[in-house]
Amino acid sequence: MSEAGHKGVLDWSIQPPYLHAPYVATVRRAPHHPLVPLAASLMERTGPVYGEGDIGPLDHDLTKNAAKNGEPLGERIIVTGQVLDENGRGVPGVLIEIWQANAAGRYVHKNDQHDAPLDPNFVGAGRTLTDEKGFYRFISIKPGAYPWKNHFNAWRPAHIHFSLIGRNFSERLVTQMYFPGDPLLEYDPIYQGIPNTKARSRLISRFDLETTQPEWALGYRFDIVLAGYDQTYFEPGGH
Amino acid sequence: MRAQYPSQTVGPFFAFALVREGGNILVDEQTLGERITLKGRVLDGDGEPVDDALVEIWQADAHGRFRHPADPQYAQADPHFKGFGRSGTTGEGFCFQTIKPGPVPPSPVPCIAVRVFARGMLIHAVTRVYFSDHDNTQDPVFAGLDPVRRQTLVAQRCELPSGVVYRWDIRLQGEGETIFFDL
């Protein structure tokens, strides 16, 4: 995507291109010029630092953080995993924000006109910080598939949006987590917009019996590898 | 080595999770530096405003320091300055209440790091914004850019009765397309 010789943070053999015509909205929003290589300055090697004070006690539990008079409807799930850097080390202190549709496939957003019910006990937004080893955990409801107008009979596979802010400006990822065995993945131009089949399959979470809690919730495991400038560059004793 | 995970679009429905009240205000009453408003639109290839984009900024404080341990002057960074802001583009476009950052050596001029997300973008775009009242050719990055295209990174200073506003549009595509970086 940019000139040869520049080793940027993003691996363009893995990342989706800006233009992917089957996803119609890319056609007028994809930049046409090639990206210009940028050697990161101190500005891109720093970024916001988050702490426990930024997170409320129920922020990670979407079944409780918007409950008004009961539990939300749907299949209760636990989504957990580890955020790793490209060297396989857990990344602590990552702000993970998630958002999703409810069990019926409806978002709490004025522009979502899908004829499916809202759930008075579910908003579908949560946030947490990874622990010192990079682990995170959310409790939620399995989102429903929903229709969109990209093409005739277009349905998005069930997904949870993930936003990750890592240790500096360069360490940033917005992606979507999918569920194993979803037949809609094959037809989804957003998922299929990642040309590398191995890379896109990493966005499918794994059902995990160890995470599953008896009589309570199904567990899904979703590890995430986050690219970014190596923090040890500036750390005393780093190499 | 582990393979990095691919990006997916932020989609149209992120605001209820990512856009919080005050998230576009980086200052409080005690923040040091010149108060500025940075505002503009995100435009698509037809020149139409994109009303469901998300813009994030990251910048130094008034003395060119970052509140982050990678900055050797971390301890002296302004505790009343957030440095990071987010704005949706519903209605008028994006808008940030911030300060003019100090220059960060080796550059003698200030700039702000910017990232754009939107429905229709499978991956975000990274750019920078510079200020019209500085000689940006002194900046090592700016100096190396195409002299015509680099004007897309310059916000225009407007001194209004309500305060200093820098106007800057982000053009995703087409004539006057903003320079985007491979960071």
Side-chain angles (χ1 to χ4, degrees):
Chain A
M1 294 295 288
S2 79
E3 289 169 25
H6 170 69
K7 175 79 177 75
V9 167
L10 297 174
D11 181 341
W12 292 102
S13 72
I14 288 174
Q15 298 299 337
Y18 289 106
L19 179 62
H20 178 64
Y23 177 18
V24 176
T26 67
V27 173
R28 301 310 278 155
R29 295 184 171 188
H32 285 170
H33 285 276
L35 299 180
V36 175
L38 177 66
S41 70
L42 185 60
M43 184 163 71
E44 288 88 9
R45 292 178 185 274
T46 55
V49 177
Y50 296 95
E52 291 301 332
D54 297 306
I55 306 292
L58 291 179
D59 282 2
H60 73 289
D61 188 344
L62 287 69
T63 68
K64 292 205 166 66
N65 68 18
K68 289 201 176 71
N69 56 14
E71 294 254 340
L73 293 174
E75 197 173 286
R76 194 182 293 116
I77 59 172
I78 299 161
V79 177
T80 188
Q82 189 180 20
V83 179
L84 302 157
D85 65 20
E86 289 176 292
N87 294 310
R89 294 174 299 209
V91 187
V94 176
L95 178 68
I96 306 184
E97 295 162 284
I98 65 168
W99 65 104
Q100 63 169 90
N102 68 19
R106 178 80 187 266
Y107 281 91
V108 178
H109 191 289
K110 62 178 172 21
N111 291 343
D112 184 359
Q113 299 298 317
H114 176 33
D115 182 19
L118 288 168
D119 186 330
N121 292 306
F122 191 75
V123 163
R127 48 200 255 142
T128 194
L129 286 177
T130 58
D131 69 14
E132 67 281 358
K133 290 186 172 151
F135 284 95
Y136 73 90
R137 186 172 185 268
F138 288 103
I139 300 164
S140 191
I141 293 294
K142 189 171 181 192
Y146 72 89
W148 59 312
K149 296 198 164 54
N150 186 73
H151 55 275
F152 174 70
N153 213 5
W155 291 79
R156 290 296 331 278
H159 61 277
I160 299 177
H161 293 270
F162 272 68
S163 163
L164 289 84
I165 296 182
R167 296 165 294 189
N168 57 57
F169 183 80
S170 77
E171 211 168 56
R172 184 84 178 89
L173 177 67
V174 168
T175 192
Q176 300 180 26
M177 184 200 97
Y178 300 98
F179 291 87
D182 193 328
L184 292 171
L185 287 166
E186 186 184 336
Y187 305 101
D188 181 44
I190 292 178
Y191 176 74
Q192 300 287 337
I194 303 160
N196 182 324
T197 53
K198 199 170 170 188
R200 68 185 180 228
S201 71
R202 295 193 179 99
L203 299 183
I204 303 173
S205 59
R206 178 169 60 79
F207 171 72
D208 186 20
L209 197 59
E210 276 182 41
T211 301
T212 298
Q213 293 201 1
E215 325 303 331
W216 194 65
L218 295 178
Y220 289 89
R221 173 87 185 212
F222 185 54
D223 294 340
I224 301 164
V225 179
L226 191 54
Y229 279 107
D230 192 343
Q231 283 290 303
T232 56
Y233 184 85
F234 278 99
E235 282 170 10
H239 46 82
Chain B
M1 286 291 284
R2 301 277 189 128
Q4 61 186 244
Y5 275 33
S7 170
Q8 291 273 265
T9 180
V10 76
F13 303 136
F14 57 81
F16 72 97
L18 300 185
V19 182
R20 297 179 158 226
E21 193 177 345
N24 63 333
I25 301 170
L26 287 73
V27 294
D28 66 25
E29 287 171 4
Q30 298 176 67
T31 307
L32 301 172
E34 182 188 21
R35 295 290 189 287
I36 65 168
T37 299
L38 174 66
K39 67 191 295 185
R41 299 169 299 169
V42 176
L43 302 168
D44 71 11
D46 296 319
E48 292 295 322
V50 173
D51 69 357
D52 55 5
L54 176 70
V55 179
E56 291 182 348
I57 63 171
W58 170 248
Q59 64 166 94
D61 71 9
H63 291 104
R65 298 167 181 145
F66 296 98
R67 248 171 81 187
H68 184 281
D71 188 334
Q73 298 191 74
Y74 170 52
Q76 288 85 47
D78 184 351
H80 292 282
F81 183 60
K82 282 198 240 171
F84 179 77
R86 258 184 196 160
S87 175
T89 59
T90 35
E92 299 274 298
F94 61 88
C95 180
F96 294 98
Q97 304 296 332
T98 183
I99 48 130
K100 171 89 80 74
V104 179
S107 177
V109 301
C111 69
I112 294 178
V114 179
R115 190 173 255 125
V116 188
F117 304 83
R119 176 179 67 86
M121 298 178 79
L122 287 165
I123 187 163
H124 59 244
V126 170
T127 186
R128 282 181 167 193
V129 60
Y130 292 83
F131 300 91
S132 62
D133 49 323
H134 290 266
D135 179 7
N136 296 309
T137 61
Q138 300 302 305
D139 178 83
V141 170
F142 193 89
L145 300 171
D146 177 280
V148 175
R149 292 201 67 214
R150 70 191 181 192
Q151 296 311 315
T152 64
L153 304 186
V154 181
Q156 298 301 317
R157 183 180 176 98
C158 315
E159 293 182 12
L160 305 177
S162 56
V164 176
V165 176
Y166 282 91
R167 290 206 141 271
W168 178 58
D169 288 340
I170 299 170
R171 292 171 197 273
L172 296 176
Q173 185 188 87
E175 193 174 339
E177 181 178 309
T178 301
I179 290 180
F180 297 110
F181 293 106
D182 187 18
L183 175 60

